[in-house]
Amino acid sequence: MAVQWADYDLDYIRHRYDRIARLIVPFEWLLFMPSAFRRTAVQRIGLAPGERVLEIGCGTGRNLPFLRDAVGPAGRVYGVDFSPGMLARARASVAAAGWDNVVLTESDAAEYRAPEPLDAVMFGLSYNTMPHHRAVLARALDLLKPGGRIVVMDAKLPPGIGGRMVLPFSIWLMKHTVLGNPYIRPWEHLEPLVDDFRMEEFLFGSYYVCRGVKRG
């Protein structure tokens, strides 16, 4: 393979995400993200009213309305992100909506401690942006109750010749935006660690949601 990948350090990634916080929606359009993808990913978590859920890499808060709707006013939504620029937009959205049961924290996700046991954890387009993704996954599983659900939603290269053709462009785009590492395969990391693993693909294999249940 002619192209190579080298991870950036966390400070570099944080500053880059601060700079692109206002561009998240245009990036979704540019990358043809399915319009209902976020809602579908949240549905796959299987949240019930009153439950506690954490989004790792909550960014500007694009998934928060769906998570909050799923748990209702009696539930609680936690979000963690280490980009203050991203979180400023998420916090503005939460304040505008008047949600008093959505709590956002600026932190490295590998060091985050939830204030209570969690029913579910979601990685929202974030897992393959983290050079220490394995450590973050381990922390996510630690935070879950036994039987709790974990979901990873993200983009990936489509299978076959299509994926091989777009790989050089994907490398160029991701290195200039730090939107993720196309060589990371989160489903392979999650499947051995959970029960009831499932994976769905969307848009000809360019997007996916994978899900598992923490072992008791």
Side-chain angles (χ1 to χ4, degrees):
M1 183 68 67
V3 291
Q4 298 294 326
W5 184 268
D7 284 324
Y8 295 101
D9 65 52
L10 292 176
D11 283 337
Y12 180 90
I13 296 171
R14 177 186 295 110
H15 293 314
R16 180 55 59 92
Y17 270 87
D18 286 346
R19 292 179 61 185
I20 67 172
R22 70 184 188 281
L23 300 175
I24 295 303
V25 173
F27 276 130
E28 291 180 7
W29 295 339
L30 175 65
L31 298 173
F32 302 104
M33 194 175 87
S35 59
F37 185 52
R38 293 182 184 276
R39 184 186 301 275
T40 299
V42 171
Q43 289 173 345
R44 298 302 184 265
I45 303 173
L47 292 167
E51 288 195 318
R52 272 53 178 159
V53 58
L54 166 69
E55 182 180 7
I56 293 177
C58 63
T60 61
R62 300 274 289 160
N63 292 323
L64 296 178
F66 307 116
L67 293 168
R68 202 271 180 182
D69 284 350
V71 302
R76 191 163 293 272
V77 177
Y78 297 100
V80 61
D81 202 288
F82 72 167
S83 164
M86 291 278 187
L87 279 177
R89 291 176 174 268
R91 285 173 172 147
S93 297
V94 169
W99 295 328
D100 59 4
N101 62 335
V102 178
V103 180
L104 305 180
T105 301
E106 181 183 334
S107 175
D108 180 343
E111 300 172 356
Y112 175 78
R113 291 286 185 187
E116 58 184 327
L118 300 173
D119 299 291
V121 174
M122 175 180 187
F123 286 85
L125 299 170
S126 60
Y127 185 90
N128 64 4
T129 69
M130 303 174 184
H132 59 333
H133 45 268
R134 296 270 197 166
V136 177
L137 178 58
R139 174 55 56 89
L141 289 168
D142 284 344
L143 295 173
L144 274 177
K145 298 176 181 178
R149 292 88 67 201
I150 184 167
V151 162
V152 180
M153 60 170 285
D154 220 318
K156 69 178 185 66
L157 293 173
I161 190 172
R164 293 192 293 273
M165 289 177 64
V166 302
L167 179 59
F169 171 72
S170 298
I171 294 291
W172 178 87
L173 178 65
M174 292 177 180
K175 284 191 173 183
H176 284 80
T177 61
V178 199
L179 284 174
N181 179 341
Y183 292 113
I184 294 174
R185 300 164 67 89
W187 54 94
E188 294 181 353
H189 302 166
L190 181 61
E191 184 174 10
L193 302 177
V194 296
D195 291 332
D196 194 25
F197 177 83
R198 304 175 190 175
M199 181 170 175
E200 295 176 80
E201 296 184 345
F202 305 86
L203 195 66
F204 310 108
S206 296
Y207 289 87
Y208 69 91
V209 176
C210 58
R211 175 189 185 275
V213 176
K214 180 176 178 177
R215 293 169 181 153

